[in-house]
Amino acid sequence: MKNYELSLVFISTLSEEEKVANLEKVKELIARFGGEVTNVDDWGKRKLAYEINKQKEGFYYFIQFNAETSTPAELESRLRITETVLRYLIVRLDEK
C-alpha cells in the first residue's frame, strides 16, 4: 500500500453540518476503495488565490491515507462529479 495525500477545497456556502457530512462522504469513498485514512487536517475557511465558479473562499482539508495504486483514480472520478468540491488534488507521498 502507498501513502497519499488528498487536498480538498469545498465551496464556502456549506453549513457546519454539510461540511462534516461531505468530509465523511469522502472518507467513506476512500474506505470503500480499500484505503485507510490516517490523518485529516482541517485548515478551515480560507481565501482562494483566484476566483473559482464565482467563489472567493473555500474550506480546505488535507487528508492523508494509505491505499492501493488503483484507489486515487477511483476517488478522482467520484470527486470530479461532486458539486460541493471546488478543487482536489491527490499526490503520492514519498516513503521516508
Side-chain angles (χ1 to χ4, degrees), residues 44-55:
K45 193 177 204 179
R46 300 271 175 132
K47 186 176 182 205
L48 300 172
Y50 54 90
E51 194 172 298
I52 304 170
N53 296 338
K54 300 182 181 174
Q55 298 279 325

Side-chain angles (χ1 to χ4, degrees), residues 1-4 65-67 69 91-96:
M1 293 186 49
K2 306 284 184 187
N3 295 323
Y4 295 95
F65 63 97
N66 301 325
T69 55
V91 294
R92 192 172 127 206
L93 299 175
D94 290 334
E95 312 245 346
K96 294 180 182 177

Side-chain angles (χ1 to χ4, degrees), residues 7 9-12 46-60 85-89:
S7 304
V9 181
F10 288 124
I11 59 175
S12 63
R46 300 271 175 132
K47 186 176 182 205
L48 300 172
Y50 54 90
E51 194 172 298
I52 304 170
N53 296 338
K54 300 182 181 174
Q55 298 279 325
K56 295 183 182 197
E57 294 180 319
F59 292 107
Y60 282 72
V85 175
L86 280 178
R87 287 287 188 266
Y88 64 88
L89 178 66

